Amino acid sequence: MWLINSPIGRKVVMSLTGVSLILFLTFHCCMNVAAFFSGDAYNVVCKFLGSNWYAVLGTAALAFLAVCHIVYAFILTMQNRRARGSQRYEVTSRRSEVSWASQNMLVLGLIVFTGLVLHLYNFWGNMMFAELAHIQVAHDPADGFAWIQETFSNPVFSVLYLLWIGALWFHLTHGFWSSMQTLGFSGKIWLRRWQVIGSVYVTLLMGVFAILILSFWLGFAPSMCMA
């Protein structure tokens, strides 16, 4: 199949899955905005996205997209290494048009993956999985606000999450315009525009997550969730 066997097809899969994950992060960001103002409002969203069939289906689809993105990233990285051969060991100066993120996408991807595992442990494992498996946890699985408070009141977790967000920023700012280029939406004129649009969009997106973490860590967020 072209999307699997062709190098260009693999890049298309990488781009499509990457754009899909950015859209999910956008939805996740909009959902988290509610936590700035009301624990009740946030928990209403959490209950809607609990262990219902559509939430489970959506989680499975998201997991499939993430796995595809990670697997294809490693495949493309190994292909690029083989194509360069011994040249990758040569000490050369980096071209000015090649960004730091583009040269370190694999490392950034590994950091992002590690952060994802941590996030699944702290939230998905204690919420949706606990509800599905009927596991007793410290808070009600539907009380997402309590889990946010507990997680980000821990300085270690807060710092780790901020580092994760930093890696995500580098990864996504490059991946955004690169996806547009792969999918054919970028020419000589639009390449620079997509780079600017991607930088602004991803900065706003990651900024919301960072501010959320800091607000709960430093005690500026709502201190309790009303029943």
Side-chain angles (χ1 to χ4, degrees), residues 141-191:
D143 191 356
F145 194 80
W147 290 111
I148 289 179
Q149 288 178 310
E150 178 173 317
T151 301
F152 298 134
S153 63
N154 186 324
V156 174
F157 280 143
S158 294
V159 171
L160 290 175
Y161 268 86
L162 290 172
L163 292 174
W164 181 36
I165 288 172
L168 271 171
W169 185 88
F170 280 108
H171 192 79
L172 296 178
T173 48
H174 172 78
F176 186 93
W177 68 260
S178 180
S179 295
M180 295 300 104
Q181 188 176 47
T182 299
L183 296 174
F185 297 114
S186 177
K188 292 182 178 179
I189 296 176
W190 270 94
L191 175 60

Side-chain angles (χ1 to χ4, degrees), residues 59-76:
T59 301
L62 180 65
F64 175 77
L65 291 172
V67 169
C68 286
H69 192 78
I70 293 169
V71 169
Y72 274 71
F74 275 101
I75 292 174
L76 288 171

Side-chain angles (χ1 to χ4, degrees), residues 46-64:
C46 290
K47 289 178 181 178
F48 177 75
L49 297 175
S51 59
N52 301 294
W53 68 268
Y54 46 81
V56 175
L57 181 62
T59 301
L62 180 65
F64 175 77

Side-chain angles (χ1 to χ4, degrees), residues 25-26 29-30 33 36 165 169 173 196-212:
L25 284 173
T26 302
C29 179
C30 294
V33 167
F36 283 112
I165 288 172
W169 185 88
T173 48
V196 173
I197 291 171
S199 295
V200 172
Y201 185 78
V202 172
T203 299
L204 291 173
L205 201 61
M206 296 298 104
V208 172
F209 288 124
I211 293 171
L212 178 71

Side-chain angles (χ1 to χ4, degrees), residues 67-144:
V67 169
C68 286
H69 192 78
I70 293 169
V71 169
Y72 274 71
F74 275 101
I75 292 174
L76 288 171
T77 299
M78 293 304 104
Q79 284 181 335
N80 291 336
R81 285 179 176 270
R82 285 197 299 268
R84 287 197 302 267
S86 60
Q87 291 182 356
R88 69 177 181 270
Y89 300 108
E90 297 178 1
V91 178
T92 58
S93 59
R94 182 171 61 87
R95 301 195 311 272
S96 59
E97 68 273 15
V98 179
S99 67
W100 179 86
S102 67
Q103 290 196 326
N104 295 276
M105 287 297 277
L106 180 60
V107 175
L108 289 171
L110 290 173
I111 297 174
V112 169
F113 175 74
T114 303
L116 177 61
V117 172
L118 175 66
H119 189 62
L120 290 175
Y121 169 78
N122 282 327
F123 290 95
W124 182 81
N126 286 315
M127 296 175 70
M128 181 181 287
F129 179 76
E131 190 173 355
L132 288 171
H134 302 289
I135 298 174
Q136 186 70 32
V137 288
H139 307 289
D140 182 350
D143 191 356

